[in-house]
Amino acid sequence: RQKPESGWTATFEPLDPKDPKQQFYNLSKLGDSRYDRLPFSIRVLLESAVRNCDEFLVKRSDVESILNWKETQSQTVEVPFRPARVILQDFTGVPAVVDFAAMRDAVMKLGGDPEKINPVCPADLVIDHSIQVDFNRNQCLTQSVLPLCSLRSDSLQKNQDLEFDRNKERFQFLKWGSKAFRNMRIIPPGSGIVHQVNLEYLARVVFNYDGYFYPDSLVGTDSHTTMIDGLGVLGWGVGGIEAEAVMLGQPISMVLPEVVGYKLHGTPEKLITSTDIVLTVTKHLRQVGVVGKFVEFFGPGVAQLSIADRATIANMCPEYGATAAFFPVDDVSIQYLEQTGESEKLAYITKYLKAVAMFRDYNDVSQDPDFTQVSLYSILTKVVPCCSGPKRPQDRIPVSDMKNDFETCLGAKVGFKGFQVPPECHSSVVPFQFSEREYTLSHGSVVIAAITSCTNTSNPSVMLGAGLLAKKAIECGLSVKPYIKTSLSPGSGVVTYYLKESGVMDYLSQLGFEVVGYGCMTCIGNSGPLPEPVVEAITKGDLVAAGVLSGNRNFEGRVHPNTRANYLASPPLVIAYALAGTVRIDFEKEPIAINSEGKEIFLRDIWPTREEIQAVERTFVIPSMFKEVYEKIEKVNNRWNSLDAPSDKLYTWDPKSTYIKSPPFFSGLTMTLQPPKSITNAYVLLNLGDSVTTDHISPAGNIARNSPAARYLTSRGLSPRDYNSYGSRRGNDAVMARGTFANIRLFNKFLNKQAPQTIHLPTGETLDVFDAAERYQQSGVPLLVLAGKEYGSGSSRDWAAKGPFLLGIKAVLAESYERIHRSNLVGMGVIPLEYLPGDTADSLGLTGRERYTIIIPEQLTPRMIVTLDTGKTFQVRMRFDTDVELAYFHHGGILNYMIRKMSEDAKDSTEKEQHV
């Protein structure tokens, strides 16, 4: 590939001179000094641009823009990126396959070839979000009076059976998709969590496609796709709608990012876990301000971190707001690949990465590239044990301050750090009966303790640390109160393997932390029911009960409706708080428990050191485990293997189905584009504040019995036990539209309280959000949402854009947006509007009760200023950031654009054939 006028040349040459069939683009032969100064993450973007440069989707000018990153990264320059693959989980994968099936129907109606709707970019879909903690040790205590439950050996099997019974229809649909679409691989239920399976099994690091080498890279329909950055594979989360376009061959249109260099040095203290490190990084990077930027780690401290530690830090990237959190490949990466059974790939991976200057030595300062800015932090020597909460991942709390912090939050005004409990109620105690014994609950009582989530279960050091702590706790005579819902949901079968082999699994089980399933479970909100006496006690005392989990998200209403305070913690700390039974404890000064002999046991008495953990890890985490687990991963689930599914290229929609339904997005779609129109006299459906998450907009958890979605399902003949979750119903737009803004913790300024409701402004009635939107739609009135900062933060949830679209919301006006959610709104044709700097709803005197007219000119440009009229006029920015996003808007969304493009291509092809 050459561009003589700018002097760049990338040579397509053999990787091994002895084997001319092994070829690659050698970027080191560009002969341009700018390449050696590029951040390693930007080098991946450059290689993709060079390899895919066709002067149509990717142009030579794009290559030049990336190569000139140092000058262009601050100029809002748009570049295309074609990742090597796409990864999905089933909550986002089902709606993607539903969209593909509906797109095939639409293309056929427009006269095109429906099989043009087919992934051309390899896609892996891991089924991990469907399993719930329905069974655990609590279910075996109906008559028991023992304080300690023995292992319930059938909890795992019962949860997996129930998962299959509930989701059989969804699974059949996915199996149809794996047959109907090429390049789509399904990893069946019971295999593990998508990001851990990606790290341990799916990652290539370097692609070897028939002797053609290039860097592994990906986008995923889950915001924590960034976990793979810890292995040196560039990846990040995108909206499901955008991922579908990538699968169909459309490059991602992105603004060339700024790259923040994050320098690490020092060595962690012996009692520090990787979770403590990542929670500290999260808080610090939030303060630095990295939203929409790449973060690239460098410095000698990186070499002190294992791949599992790096992956934990990269996993939490969405919580500190960055697009990617990249750790370039080094010797530690190669050692990890050897440990996970990938030794046959090591020779060409190392040779290729060194040839293109993408292999890193973190101790060699001459390799340090140029960064937009450098953040220097002595993190590894300054980290202390910590948790985050009670409502957001970035709100880090040193463990030594937990008791005081919770008690401060108890009385503080309702907000991210407040529950506004009256002072006279702070000491409330509610007695209750459980398993024929009396217990008490109070504010701060732990009722859920879950070792869960790929963030931590992918890391042997913290998992073995939890096991060693459990062993010492049992040896000291400690136990966990039986009403506390304890669970262990590993991210892969490898975890169970080494926990058993090392001898700690039995101790975990004795404390109630038995394996209940392989999937996201409590972290995504699939925590299952609490014991009824516990729920009654919480409700009776209006208690702020606590959940403690080793997850990555603790937003309001996500973990469980009855746990108002939720804390993220390392697996050992999850067990510690379960043993204590409360978060109102100072572990330094107070014993964690008193054993049967009356001896006070402190946390320091049972806490394992890094040296103890590393000794066990070196002995028991071995390559043969990974090989044995993953060589059979696609065939290990017998129920999946025996599941029948149709193989037709067009899907036959079942009108009786409550899981899979043809969506209305493409009804009436024609090849003719309509010019954009101004939005006239819109009503505000919701007036929201800061940090409204996608969990608030489109919850994934349980369907409340008094909700519009429940009423719909009841009308279709279902009983409450068959409702399943919102996440599992994402293949049915009728359920998901009714579930939009259905989170019980949604705070609407119109009501001045938390409720999934709003005011229908023309009548003044308080209605469920869906019912109010339906009234407005019947009147033909467009709708708007007002919001504050960080609108749409959290999970990359495409239904958080699809749902508002179906409610008739034409635009959102916010102070700022989370990157993925803004992209999803664009993908659905919903206009993301942003206040100009210094403006807010309050400063402009907006109450939300005004009627809004948004004046949209015929000629649109990226990030242009437009005028709003509410009786008085003011200006806002239209957040279509690139020309490609404007093209999507003109088509009514990205999927409409793809359908028209595929249909047009098919017609052109037919005309050419007829001409010939």
Side-chain angles (χ1 to χ4, degrees):
R1 311 279 183 169
Q2 296 185 35
K3 186 182 181 188
E5 63 269 28
S6 64
W8 65 265
T9 303
T11 305
F12 191 52
E13 61 182 42
L15 183 63
D16 184 346
K18 297 177 182 178
D19 186 357
K21 292 182 180 179
Q22 294 188 357
Q23 295 184 309
F24 73 110
Y25 281 103
N26 191 347
L27 301 188
S28 295
K29 298 288 182 71
L30 285 168
D32 194 314
S33 60
R34 292 175 296 177
Y35 178 70
D36 294 326
R37 303 308 306 157
L38 289 177
F40 283 66
S41 52
I42 300 299
R43 297 178 198 188
V44 178
L45 300 184
L46 178 64
E47 191 282 336
S48 174
V50 168
R51 178 165 38 90
N52 292 292
C53 185
D54 59 1
E55 284 302 325
F56 177 60
L57 292 174
V58 183
K59 300 180 179 179
R60 293 181 175 185
S61 58
D62 298 319
V63 175
E64 176 63 25
S65 293
I66 300 172
L67 192 56
N68 200 33
W69 170 84
K70 190 172 183 180
E71 304 301 325
T72 56
Q73 42 110 4
S74 60
Q75 299 173 12
T76 320
V77 173
E78 177 186 356
V79 295
F81 174 55
R82 298 192 71 170
R85 59 190 175 99
V86 175
I87 195 164
L88 310 96
Q89 36 86 346
D90 57 301
F91 270 16
T92 53
V94 167
V97 179
V98 166
D99 287 346
F100 283 163
M103 289 170 76
R104 278 192 170 179
D105 292 343
V107 167
M108 188 174 70
K109 287 175 184 176
L110 291 174
D113 177 4
E115 289 199 51
K116 288 282 186 182
I117 301 296
N118 192 88
V120 295
C121 181
D124 295 302
L125 192 158
V126 181
I127 301 175
D128 69 345
H129 274 51
S130 300
I131 192 166
Q132 302 184 32
V133 192
D134 290 288
F135 293 91
N136 76 317
R137 65 166 188 155
N138 284 339
Q139 276 69 30
C140 68
L141 289 168
T142 50
Q143 301 298 324
S144 174
V145 295
L146 296 175
L148 188 66
C149 177
S150 60
L151 171 65
R152 181 190 177 103
S153 59
D154 62 347
S155 289
L156 171 61
Q157 189 60 53
K158 282 184 174 291
N159 286 329
Q160 289 181 332
D161 287 345
L162 192 51
E163 173 194 24
F164 223 95
D165 292 341
R166 282 178 176 144
N167 296 282
K168 183 178 179 182
E169 191 179 337
R170 296 172 64 241
F171 293 169
Q172 282 179 318
F173 178 70
L174 287 175
K175 200 159 191 181
W176 167 80
S178 69
K179 295 178 180 180
F181 299 105
R182 299 182 302 278
N183 282 332
M184 180 180 286
R185 172 170 52 175
I186 307 287
I187 305 297
S191 303
I193 302 174
V194 57
H195 305 306
Q196 188 162 342
V197 174
N198 191 24
L199 183 72
E200 295 176 352
Y201 174 62
L202 298 175
R204 281 77 156 181
V205 182
V206 171
F207 258 84
N208 179 0
Y209 185 76
D210 292 336
Y212 181 18
F213 296 92
Y214 51 95
D216 188 5
S217 61
L218 70 152
V219 292
T221 58
D222 188 287
S223 54
H224 293 102
T225 299
T226 51
M227 183 171 182
I228 201 64
D229 291 345
L231 185 57
V233 176
L234 184 63
W236 62 86
V238 297
I241 307 156
E242 191 173 9
E244 291 168 30
V246 172
M247 290 165 69
L248 295 175
Q250 187 75 3
I252 289 174
S253 174
M254 62 185 295
V255 173
L256 196 61
E258 297 181 5
V259 182
V260 175
Y262 197 81
K263 189 171 186 178
L264 300 178
H265 58 89
T267 303
E269 297 294 333
K270 64 179 182 178
L271 298 180
I272 297 305
T273 69
S274 58
T275 315
D276 301 321
I277 295 172
V278 71
L279 295 179
T280 306
V281 168
T282 299
K283 182 176 181 179
H284 185 236
L285 282 172
R286 271 282 176 186
Q287 294 168 341
V288 170
V290 293
V291 174
K293 303 175 184 179
F294 283 5
V295 175
E296 189 168 306
F297 294 84
F298 73 111
V302 178
Q304 302 296 317
L305 298 175
S306 67
I307 292 302
D309 290 340
R310 298 177 194 181
T312 302
I313 294 170
N315 181 285
M316 291 284 278
C317 176
E319 280 62 60
Y320 42 86
T323 300
F326 194 61
F327 290 83
V329 174
D330 70 338
D331 287 328
V332 176
S333 314
I334 300 302
Q335 291 164 14
Y336 176 82
L337 292 173
E338 190 169 16
Q339 181 189 44
T340 54
E342 302 287 353
S343 54
E344 70 279 2
K345 301 178 183 178
L346 299 185
Y348 73 74
I349 288 175
T350 305
K351 183 180 288 187
Y352 170 79
L353 292 175
K354 286 184 176 179
V356 293
M358 292 188 193
F359 195 90
R360 190 75 161 93
D361 179 352
Y362 288 101
N363 292 305
D364 183 356
V365 295
S366 68
Q367 286 191 11
D368 292 351
D370 293 331
F371 293 112
T372 307
Q373 67 182 93
V374 171
S375 178
L376 179 64
Y377 198 60
S378 309
I379 181 168
L380 302 181
T381 53
K382 293 185 177 180
V383 173
V384 297
C386 55
C387 300
S388 280
K391 301 181 184 183
R392 295 192 303 181
Q394 62 262 42
D395 294 329
R396 171 185 165 273
I397 314 147
V399 170
S400 57
D401 292 343
M402 269 285 283
K403 182 178 182 179
N404 288 337
D405 188 85
F406 177 83
E407 290 176 349
T408 300
C409 291
L410 206 56
K413 184 180 177 181
V414 172
F416 301 126
K417 297 285 287 185
F419 299 102
Q420 207 164 338
V421 175
E424 63 273 16
C425 298
H426 285 196
S427 301
S428 296
V429 175
V430 181
F432 68 101
Q433 291 283 327
F434 183 81
S435 188
E436 300 181 3
R437 294 188 62 176
E438 184 167 298
Y439 298 92
T440 60
L441 289 181
S442 56
H443 294 295
S445 288
V446 173
V447 296
I448 290 177
I451 298 176
T452 182
S453 171
C454 53
T455 307
N456 284 290
T457 67
S458 61
N459 194 324
S461 67
V462 292
M463 296 303 290
L464 289 168
L468 291 172
L469 185 142
K471 179 177 184 290
K472 293 183 179 186
I474 292 294
E475 290 169 348
C476 287
L478 305 187
S479 63
V480 175
K481 293 181 176 66
Y483 61 81
I484 297 175
K485 185 157 192 177
T486 49
S487 61
L488 167 58
S489 49
S492 79
V494 174
V495 180
T496 309
Y497 204 146
Y498 66 66
L499 290 177
K500 285 182 177 178
E501 290 296 307
S502 63
V504 298
M505 189 72 244
D506 286 343
Y507 296 103
L508 288 163
S509 297
Q510 287 181 62
L511 290 182
F513 291 92
E514 57 172 319
V515 175
V516 294
Y518 294 93
C520 295
M521 302 191 88
T522 300
C523 188
I524 188 61
N526 290 349
S527 50
L530 287 173
E532 198 56 44
V534 173
V535 174
E536 290 172 358
I538 292 171
T539 305
K540 181 180 178 181
D542 193 21
L543 299 177
V544 180
V548 184
L549 63 152
S550 63
N552 48 43
R553 295 267 165 81
N554 55 344
F555 300 129
E556 290 181 289
R558 179 185 176 101
V559 174
H560 194 280
N562 296 112
T563 56
R564 288 158 64 187
N566 295 284
Y567 292 93
L568 306 182
S570 66
L573 277 176
V574 170
I575 296 178
Y577 281 108
L579 290 165
T582 180
V583 296
R584 296 173 82 173
I585 182 172
D586 184 341
F587 285 129
E588 290 293 317
K589 300 175 182 176
E590 302 173 59
I592 194 169
I594 298 174
N595 66 15
S596 57
E597 299 174 358
K599 181 181 178 182
E600 291 185 342
I601 306 296
F602 287 82
L603 181 57
R604 57 179 173 267
D605 299 327
I606 60 174
W607 192 269
T609 65
R610 286 178 74 89
E611 289 80 5
E612 289 178 87
I613 295 167
Q614 287 168 355
V616 176
E617 184 177 351
R618 282 192 296 270
T619 305
F620 293 103
V621 183
I622 55 178
S624 60
M625 291 181 175
F626 293 87
K627 281 192 171 183
E628 185 175 335
V629 168
Y630 282 115
E631 68 185 4
K632 57 187 179 184
I633 188 171
E634 294 178 48
K635 299 295 181 184
V636 74
N637 190 313
N638 292 328
R639 289 193 68 175
W640 174 266
N641 297 338
S642 61
L643 189 65
D644 289 328
S647 54
D648 302 333
K649 297 301 180 184
L650 293 177
Y651 187 71
T652 304
W653 306 97
D654 180 0
K656 297 179 181 178
S657 174
T658 57
Y659 277 105
I660 307 298
K661 179 177 175 290
S662 181
F665 306 133
F666 315 121
S667 352
L669 184 67
T670 68
M671 294 296 290
T672 306
L673 290 186
Q674 300 296 323
K677 298 178 181 177
S678 295
I679 298 169
T680 307
N681 284 329
Y683 276 108
V684 172
L685 180 63
L686 292 154
N687 188 0
L688 306 173
D690 295 341
S691 294
V692 173
T693 70
T694 51
D695 278 286
H696 289 116
I697 303 167
S698 183
N702 68 302
I703 297 173
R705 296 188 180 194
N706 61 346
S707 65
R711 293 195 291 273
Y712 169 79
L713 291 171
T714 301
S715 73
R716 299 297 301 271
L718 273 66
S719 62
R721 67 190 181 93
D722 297 320
Y723 289 167
N724 211 333
S725 64
Y726 282 113
S728 68
R729 297 280 177 184
R730 287 182 184 166
N732 186 316
D733 61 273
V735 175
M736 296 311 296
R738 287 165 173 80
T740 303
F741 296 110
N743 190 314
I744 60 172
R745 302 298 178 197
L746 180 74
F747 187 88
N748 183 0
K749 293 179 182 179
F750 284 156
L751 303 175
N752 201 29
K753 67 175 183 179
Q754 290 182 334
Q757 296 178 317
T758 193
I759 293 175
H760 181 250
L761 295 175
T763 63
E765 291 178 79
T766 298
L767 300 171
D768 288 325
V769 173
F770 173 80
D771 295 335
E774 193 172 44
R775 288 255 196 109
Y776 285 120
Q777 284 187 308
Q778 289 168 355
S779 303
V781 178
L783 295 173
L784 183 75
V785 168
L786 296 184
K789 300 180 184 70
E790 299 174 352
Y791 181 73
S793 56
S795 301
S796 59
R797 200 162 287 177
D798 56 347
W799 267 107
K802 289 177 175 177
F805 170 83
L806 292 178
L807 294 187
I809 293 168
K810 303 300 182 185
V812 177
L813 175 56
E815 292 178 48
S816 64
Y817 293 88
E818 194 278 338
R819 174 185 59 84
I820 299 175
H821 184 62
R822 186 200 64 81
S823 172
N824 273 334
L825 291 174
V826 171
M828 287 308 299
V830 177
I831 304 173
L833 301 172
E834 192 169 275
Y835 293 102
L836 297 182
D839 285 351
T840 64
D842 289 340
S843 72
L844 295 170
L846 305 178
T847 65
R849 295 177 181 271
E850 308 88 353
R851 302 289 293 271
Y852 288 72
T853 294
I854 304 166
I855 301 167
I856 301 176
E858 286 188 16
Q859 298 298 318
L860 300 177
T861 57
R863 297 180 62 86
M864 75 180 299
I865 305 293
V866 295
T867 300
L868 260 67
D869 186 350
T870 62
K872 62 179 180 182
T873 60
F874 59 97
Q875 292 185 315
V876 297
R877 188 177 301 281
M878 187 179 285
R879 285 294 310 277
F880 296 121
D881 289 355
T882 66
D883 287 321
V884 172
E885 289 186 347
L886 281 173
Y888 296 156
F889 174 63
H890 283 294
H891 280 265
I894 190 171
L895 300 184
N896 293 355
Y897 170 86
M898 293 304 298
I899 288 171
R900 289 190 176 106
K901 182 175 181 292
M902 297 288 186
S903 301
E904 192 70 47
D905 290 348
K907 286 184 178 180
D908 289 346
S909 177
T910 302
E911 289 172 3
K912 285 178 183 177
E913 288 174 9
Q914 290 172 345
H915 178 71
V916 171

